[in-house]
Amino acid sequence: MTNHYSLPISFDLEAYLKQKQDLINTNLKRIFDTVKRRSAGSLDAAMAYSIMAGGKRVRPILCLAAAETVADGDITATAMATACALEMIHTYSLIHDDLPAMDNDDIRRGKPTCHVKFNEATAILAGDALLTLAFDVLSDRVTASDKKKTAPSMENQLKIIHMIASAAGWRGMIEGQVQDMESEGKKLDIDALKALHLLKTGALIQAAVMAGVILGGGNHRQMEMMSAYAHNIGLAFQVTDDILNVEGDPVVMGKAAGTDFSRSKNTYPALLGMTDSKDYANELIEKALAALSGFNYRADPLRAIAHYIITRER
Amino acid sequence: MTNHYSLPISFDLEAYLKQKQDLINTNLKRIFDTVKRRSAGSLDAAMAYSIMAGGKRVRPILCLAAAETVADGDITATAMATACALEMIHTYSLIHDDLPAMDNDDIRRGKPTCHVKFNEATAILAGDALLTLAFDVLSDRVTASDKKKTAPSMENQLKIIHMIASAAGWRGMIEGQVQDMESEGKKLDIDALKALHLLKTGALIQAAVMAGVILGGGNHRQMEMMSAYAHNIGLAFQVTDDILNVEGDPVVMGKAAGTDFSRSKNTYPALLGMTDSKDYANELIEKALAALSGFNYRADPLRAIAHYIITRER
């Protein structure tokens, strides 16, 4: 792979991701400790089990990184509720995707999936509750991260709720999941596969980045650049997922490899071959980085994340 | 049953319910026609199938009736998006409750349940999509009912989203469903059963009424009176459901009778006996009507609905 773009050489992504993950985990833990204190049964346990199962927190980190790129000053406290809500929606979608009626996966992030650990009914309801809690947190006028008045403006709050609900629903993630399900065993062409993934994974990644831009007070031109960035990393993320599903180390990934093939799922490697799939992922990341060329060093985390997306091992 | 309260004799509830149902159905149909135009697969079909399956529209009607009781002038256009969203949340909860892993019901409102008509995966996703669409509609700055600027104030919109998310989630409906599931086969006392139902059905009914009061611009005293009304009709609704499950005509109800007993569910008739259950329902409705005594004739629809809740046949 030839690098036509300049990567931020001096930027320590590992430390950045770790710091953000810790911050997000602390805030999620605070929210779920409250759920636990006020709830009794298995619902809170199942919700907390799945959300604290060691996800990479890609969507909340993208939201925070986008907010920090465009904001004057520290925006983390204001953006944290949105970041946490994005992770709740992502986690709910994984719980439901793993169900026996859907992908029927037993292992996720190296641990038993929610319906295996608890039971199917509890997993369905824990997913429902995480999705609902996301909107609870998003509409709160006091942010989840602290009790100071750091909530976004009401206008921004409503914009973000609307954008996330749209991206997560029938116009976005859920429609993508349905199309994915219904295309198993049928052969899609590359455009159809791209369209499917722009819905299934792309929409929520796009919403995460754009929510960050809104929270950071980004202008119209910044919105457009970030939108192009998000579009390309969203696709690259899925292409890499497909590559990892074939080549990945199950131990590192925390789930079985080769499952797409055995389910005759439409994937980039199956459609383009492995070499072209990797080239395509690289090309997408180059486009994502080109979209950021109007930003200064403050976009370095986003640049490093773009690179990370295709070099990660899980 | 002795009537200690005065029912609005001259009020034609049947015509009122029919008019509101038609209005709500027209608006829901408009929303789901848009979904259909822009979507392709089975997701939109499953969503529309379940929501247009002939529900009584109790929650949206309560919202509209409460708004009209406290508002100056016609509030229907402003309240319609919230009313529709409440029905989406109610419908999603029914789709998920009917799933094989939950109540495993084949018939609902006289028709095959969503997972029977489509399949389990589609039913799970259609429920998810209805829940998500509710928040999409609630956060829209243009109401679903028309393209004029009749949206509620941003403050009211956020209040309502937060209240509904809270009522529908781990603090409310979903926790109630989990408790209901986990108490099957165990004997609850009457207080535990009440607490369970205040979560499972009461919370969303309460949210429907209170959203109406917020939309109508009700003051603090009106909030309190309406809250007491909602609390009591919410419980009465569930007591009557339990009674109908034993005594109801399956043809009128559109679902099987006697299913609670065969599942050894905790019900009011099982706990109190049939006569005391009916007395209890009447007592709750008397309390609900007493709570409305500070309102004039404009609360007549709410009074008539309270009476309807315990006299309905399905």
Side-chain angles (χ1 to χ4, degrees):
Chain A
M1 167 181 166
T2 332
N3 275 341
H4 297 300
Y5 51 86
S6 59
L7 269 181
I9 304 296
S10 63
F11 185 76
D12 186 349
L13 180 66
E14 209 178 314
Y16 179 86
L17 293 178
K18 175 80 173 64
Q19 187 240 330
K20 293 296 183 210
Q21 281 160 356
D22 287 350
L23 200 60
I24 292 157
N25 288 339
T26 303
N27 279 279
L28 284 171
K29 197 174 172 310
R30 199 173 303 169
I31 295 171
F32 286 92
D33 281 350
T34 307
V35 174
K36 196 175 182 152
R37 255 200 316 281
R38 295 171 58 181
S39 175
S42 55
L43 181 64
D44 61 305
M47 290 166 80
Y49 172 79
S50 290
I51 203 142
M52 301 313 281
K56 298 184 294 291
R57 314 305 189 202
V58 171
R59 290 150 195 82
I61 291 175
L62 281 169
C63 175
L64 296 177
E68 286 165 6
T69 300
V70 300
D72 296 326
D74 189 4
I75 193 72
T76 312
T78 301
M80 191 48 76
T82 304
C84 290
L86 286 161
E87 190 66 13
M88 291 175 202
I89 292 178
H90 175 58
T91 303
Y92 118 78
S93 77
L94 298 182
I95 296 176
H96 282 190
D97 284 5
D98 287 338
L99 286 167
M102 312 266 275
D103 285 351
N104 196 19
D105 277 319
D106 292 344
I107 300 287
R108 161 82 63 185
R109 294 167 179 170
K111 294 180 183 164
T113 46
C114 192
H115 66 273
V116 171
K117 177 79 179 178
F118 296 88
N119 59 52
E120 219 180 307
T122 305
I124 293 167
L125 292 167
D128 293 346
L130 283 169
L131 173 58
T132 310
L133 182 57
F135 292 104
D136 182 333
V137 166
L138 285 170
S139 59
D140 202 348
R141 290 298 299 147
V142 177
T143 68
S145 58
D146 62 18
K147 294 288 164 194
K148 280 178 241 133
K149 284 281 175 201
T150 50
S153 72
M154 289 197 283
E155 191 180 350
N156 281 349
Q157 239 175 327
L158 282 168
K159 262 190 204 164
I160 289 167
I161 295 169
H162 197 61
M163 194 177 64
I164 290 178
S166 177
W170 66 270
R171 292 188 194 86
M173 189 174 74
I174 299 178
E175 173 64 20
Q177 177 65 16
V178 171
Q179 288 187 13
D180 196 22
M181 236 166 55
E182 293 184 348
S183 66
E184 274 187 36
K186 290 181 220 163
K187 194 156 171 83
L188 295 184
D189 64 22
I190 184 79
D191 287 337
L193 188 63
K194 267 172 67 175
L196 186 164
H197 287 308
L198 282 174
L199 295 169
K200 194 184 165 188
T201 29
L204 194 62
I205 285 178
Q206 180 98 19
V209 172
M210 299 317 282
V213 181
I214 292 172
L215 289 162
N219 61 33
H220 184 71
R221 200 174 139 262
Q222 290 174 321
M223 292 265 178
E224 285 185 340
M225 296 188 292
M226 287 285 198
S227 177
Y229 167 80
H231 175 94
N232 286 297
I233 61 162
L235 274 177
F237 195 84
Q238 188 61 49
V239 178
T240 308
D241 247 20
D242 286 358
I243 293 170
L244 285 172
N245 192 279
V246 181
E247 291 193 339
D249 179 342
V251 176
V252 178
M253 292 200 298
K255 60 184 175 187
T259 52
D260 289 345
F261 183 76
S262 64
R263 274 185 201 129
S264 48
K265 280 216 173 194
N266 286 283
T267 67
Y268 293 94
L271 213 62
L272 301 176
M274 190 53 87
T275 310
D276 282 1
S277 295
K278 288 181 183 176
D279 284 350
Y280 181 48
N282 284 334
E283 186 193 310
L284 289 167
I285 292 307
E286 290 194 39
K287 283 189 191 166
L289 292 168
L292 295 183
S293 59
F295 291 101
N296 65 10
Y297 70 95
R298 294 176 70 174
D300 280 356
L302 291 176
R303 293 186 181 100
I305 290 167
H307 188 248
Y308 161 77
I309 278 175
I310 55 167
T311 55
R312 69 200 159 97
E313 293 183 331
R314 64 182 181 109
Chain B
M1 168 182 165
T2 332
N3 277 340
H4 296 299
Y5 49 85
S6 59
L7 269 181
I9 304 298
S10 63
F11 184 76
D12 185 348
L13 180 66
E14 208 177 315
Y16 180 86
L17 293 179
K18 175 80 173 62
Q19 187 241 328
K20 293 297 183 210
Q21 281 159 356
D22 287 349
L23 200 61
I24 291 157
N25 289 338
T26 302
N27 280 279
L28 284 171
K29 197 174 173 309
R30 199 174 304 169
I31 296 170
F32 286 92
D33 281 349
T34 308
V35 174
K36 197 176 181 150
R37 255 199 316 280
R38 295 171 57 182
S39 174
S42 54
L43 181 64
D44 60 303
M47 291 166 81
Y49 173 79
S50 290
I51 203 144
M52 302 312 281
K56 299 185 293 291
R57 314 304 190 202
V58 170
R59 289 151 195 83
I61 292 174
L62 281 169
C63 175
L64 297 177
E68 287 166 4
T69 300
V70 300
D72 295 326
D74 189 4
I75 193 73
T76 311
T78 301
M80 190 49 76
T82 304
C84 290
L86 286 161
E87 190 67 12
M88 291 175 202
I89 293 177
H90 175 58
T91 303
Y92 119 77
S93 77
L94 298 181
I95 296 175
H96 283 190
D97 283 4
D98 287 339
L99 286 168
M102 310 266 275
D103 286 352
N104 196 19
D105 277 318
D106 292 343
I107 300 285
R108 160 81 64 183
R109 294 167 178 168
K111 293 179 185 165
T113 46
C114 191
H115 65 273
V116 170
K117 176 80 181 179
F118 297 87
N119 59 53
E120 220 179 308
T122 305
I124 293 167
L125 292 167
D128 293 346
L130 283 169
L131 173 58
T132 311
L133 182 56
F135 291 104
D136 182 334
V137 166
L138 285 170
S139 58
D140 202 349
R141 289 297 300 147
V142 177
T143 67
S145 59
D146 63 17
K147 293 289 164 192
K148 279 178 241 132
K149 284 281 174 197
T150 49
S153 71
M154 290 196 283
E155 190 180 350
N156 281 348
Q157 240 175 325
L158 282 168
K159 262 190 204 163
I160 288 167
I161 295 170
H162 197 61
M163 193 178 64
I164 290 178
S166 177
W170 66 270
R171 292 188 193 88
M173 188 173 73
I174 300 179
E175 173 63 21
Q177 178 65 15
V178 171
Q179 288 187 13
D180 195 22
M181 236 166 53
E182 291 184 349
S183 65
E184 275 187 36
K186 290 181 220 163
K187 196 159 170 83
L188 296 184
D189 65 20
I190 185 79
D191 287 337
L193 189 61
K194 267 172 67 175
L196 186 164
H197 288 308
L198 282 174
L199 295 168
K200 193 184 165 187
T201 29
L204 195 61
I205 286 177
Q206 182 99 17
V209 171
M210 299 318 281
V213 180
I214 291 171
L215 289 162
N219 61 32
H220 183 72
R221 200 173 140 263
Q222 291 174 321
M223 291 266 178
E224 285 185 341
M225 296 189 292
M226 286 286 198
S227 177
Y229 167 80
H231 175 93
N232 286 296
I233 61 162
L235 275 177
F237 194 85
Q238 189 61 49
V239 178
T240 308
D241 247 19
D242 286 357
I243 293 170
L244 285 172
N245 192 278
V246 181
E247 289 194 340
D249 179 342
V251 177
V252 178
M253 291 199 297
K255 61 183 173 187
T259 53
D260 288 346
F261 184 74
S262 64
R263 276 186 201 126
S264 50
K265 280 216 172 197
N266 286 284
T267 67
Y268 292 95
L271 213 63
L272 302 176
M274 191 52 88
T275 310
D276 281 0
S277 294
K278 289 180 182 176
D279 284 350
Y280 180 49
N282 284 333
E283 187 192 309
L284 289 167
I285 292 307
E286 290 194 40
K287 283 187 190 167
L289 292 168
L292 295 182
S293 60
F295 291 102
N296 65 11
Y297 70 95
R298 294 175 69 174
D300 279 356
L302 291 175
R303 294 185 180 99
I305 291 167
H307 188 248
Y308 161 77
I309 278 174
I310 55 166
T311 55
R312 71 202 157 96
E313 293 183 331
R314 63 183 181 107

